[in-house]
Amino acid sequence: MGLLARAALALPAGAMLAGAAPVRAEAPAAGAAPARAEAPAAGEVNLYTTREPGLIRPLLDAFTRSSGVKVNTVFVDKGLAERVAAEGARSAADVLMTVDIGNLIELVDRDLAQPVRSAVLEAAVPAPLRDAEGRWFSLSTRARLVYADPDLRDLAGLTYEDLADPKWKGKVCLRAGQHPYNTALIAAHLVRHGEERTEAWLRGLKANLARKAGGGDRDVARDIVADLCDLGLGNSYYIGLMRSGRGGPEQKTWGDGVQVVLPTFRGGGTHVNVSGAVVARSAPNRDNAVRLLEYLVSDEAQGLYARADYEYPVKPGAPLDPLLADLGVLSVDPTPLVEIARSRKAASLLVDKVGFDR
């Protein structure tokens, strides 16, 4: 039977095939490791990923060159957890890679990940950026930064809490509060300060908006350059994309036209979100899956991450892209990512309660 035909067997009726990989036929007993219908194929690993193929292809090609292991990639635009759950024990997936801590936690909560003990991974990935039981590992981070008018002074030491100060009334631009980037930040505030203080902070932040919350992070930079507002929030990789010129000459003007501040929580650090991966529960090529994750936290791969998408490496001491290095030293907030992920629903309810996006 051909590879595509075998991969199709892993899908439920009506599902669409999005990639090719070997599969297995037997379902595992409850709580037990799944039985294999066929021996794992030697020298390959099957990656299901929500990350754009063009961004991670240089990393995967470098892994294959160094290890000889072929990477079969299946791009899943949406519904990664749903797809793997539907495939069940017949799933071909070895590694599941995604963006956002909430998506990683979902894979664990749905019993789609298996624990991994690896001295390499545990040495490279700081404890706050991985699961204590080895079920998920961060591979890169992106920081929630402040973009500001270059004429503003004395922004050193700016905190996220400061953005609700009435002195910024009518001067703040933000994308929607219900966007995952902002919901995660609000959830982090909720974990640190509790519901009452977070609601008050959100009301103050809304009162400071120069326009209705909306658009994207790059629109925040655009509107600062256009003198519609003085400061706002944006992710770190957008600064790299804009200032590098990869987004086009107009966006380069926006990126070059703002100053960037690494804000912190009071008594904490800068809020980050992550891209990461898990070893799939039914991985037919488990050893190669672990090898791939270990490679992705190597100095070489971490440097490739930084250059490919202007993301911060998780491995301490790994090289930064110069555009990120110029922003200053990133001190990651220690609030546990799992607690942030589990507080996002409450954060979303608060966004609606204060009418933030209205």
Side-chain angles (χ1 to χ4, degrees):
M1 183 181 295
L3 186 62
L4 288 175
R6 286 188 286 119
L9 291 177
L11 301 176
M16 293 182 64
L17 180 66
V23 298
R24 288 159 305 133
E26 296 180 19
R36 286 170 168 73
E38 56 180 308
E44 67 180 13
V45 63
N46 304 314
L47 171 67
Y48 284 24
T49 178
T50 64
R51 305 220 63 182
E52 294 181 18
L55 295 177
I56 61 171
R57 178 49 55 191
L59 290 156
L60 304 180
D61 289 345
F63 170 70
T64 297
R65 287 194 299 270
S66 66
S67 67
V69 176
K70 178 184 177 184
V71 183
N72 303 313
T73 306
V74 178
F75 174 65
V76 184
D77 185 28
K78 296 179 181 178
L80 175 63
E82 288 76 10
R83 171 167 177 162
V84 178
E87 291 178 357
R90 299 166 62 89
S91 178
D94 293 308
V95 174
L96 310 176
M97 179 186 291
T98 190
V99 174
D100 188 88
I101 182 59
N103 292 327
L104 290 170
I105 298 302
E106 182 183 12
L107 294 172
V108 172
D109 287 348
R110 296 183 68 160
D111 197 26
L112 301 175
Q114 62 172 286
V116 171
R117 290 299 176 197
S118 162
V120 172
L121 288 167
E122 291 168 12
V125 183
L129 298 177
R130 56 179 164 87
D131 178 48
E133 298 179 31
R135 294 168 298 180
W136 59 265
F137 295 88
S138 300
L139 301 174
S140 65
T141 67
R142 60 278 303 276
R144 202 76 179 131
L145 307 179
V146 166
Y147 303 167
D149 188 307
D151 292 333
L152 291 178
R153 297 290 181 263
D154 302 322
L155 293 182
L158 185 72
T159 68
Y160 296 110
E161 292 89 343
D162 291 337
L163 296 177
D165 190 313
K167 76 177 183 179
W168 299 118
K169 186 175 179 63
K171 298 180 179 181
V172 177
C173 284
L174 291 175
R175 73 189 309 159
Q178 288 292 9
H179 190 279
Y181 297 164
N182 284 336
T183 305
L185 176 67
I186 296 163
H189 191 287
L190 188 60
V191 173
R192 295 185 65 86
H193 297 303
E195 182 175 347
E196 183 177 347
R197 290 176 63 186
T198 300
E199 180 179 337
W201 176 69
L202 278 175
R203 292 188 183 279
L205 189 56
K206 177 177 172 58
N208 288 346
L209 293 178
R211 56 161 171 78
K212 181 180 177 181
D217 286 359
R218 281 174 279 198
D219 296 326
V220 171
R222 177 200 66 194
D223 290 350
I224 292 171
V225 170
D227 292 327
L228 295 178
C229 46
D230 285 353
L231 73 172
L233 292 171
N235 273 2
S236 50
Y237 58 85
Y238 286 122
I239 281 294
L241 291 171
M242 289 188 290
R243 289 183 173 177
S244 68
R246 282 171 54 180
E250 185 177 34
Q251 291 188 21
K252 189 174 192 316
T253 300
W254 303 342
D256 291 340
V258 297
Q259 64 169 311
V260 179
V261 180
L262 288 166
T264 63
F265 283 108
R266 289 174 187 163
T270 300
H271 172 70
V272 301
N273 208 327
V274 301
S275 71
V278 310
V279 174
R281 179 175 181 265
S282 301
N285 302 290
R286 185 184 189 279
D287 290 347
N288 284 342
V290 175
R291 289 178 70 186
L292 176 58
L293 292 191
E294 290 177 343
Y295 172 76
L296 291 175
V297 299
S298 68
D299 287 339
E300 178 184 35
Q302 290 284 286
L304 287 171
Y305 261 119
R307 293 191 297 274
D309 202 22
Y310 304 105
E311 297 183 343
Y312 285 96
V314 295
K315 185 176 184 180
L320 287 174
D321 185 275
L323 289 171
L324 288 186
D326 287 345
L327 303 181
V329 177
L330 174 66
S331 176
V332 175
D333 187 67
T335 303
L337 293 177
V338 172
E339 292 186 32
I340 294 173
R342 300 204 188 286
S343 298
R344 288 174 79 158
K345 182 176 181 179
S348 177
L349 291 174
L350 280 178
V351 169
D352 283 345
K353 182 177 180 181
V354 305
F356 195 89
D357 293 338
R358 294 199 297 269

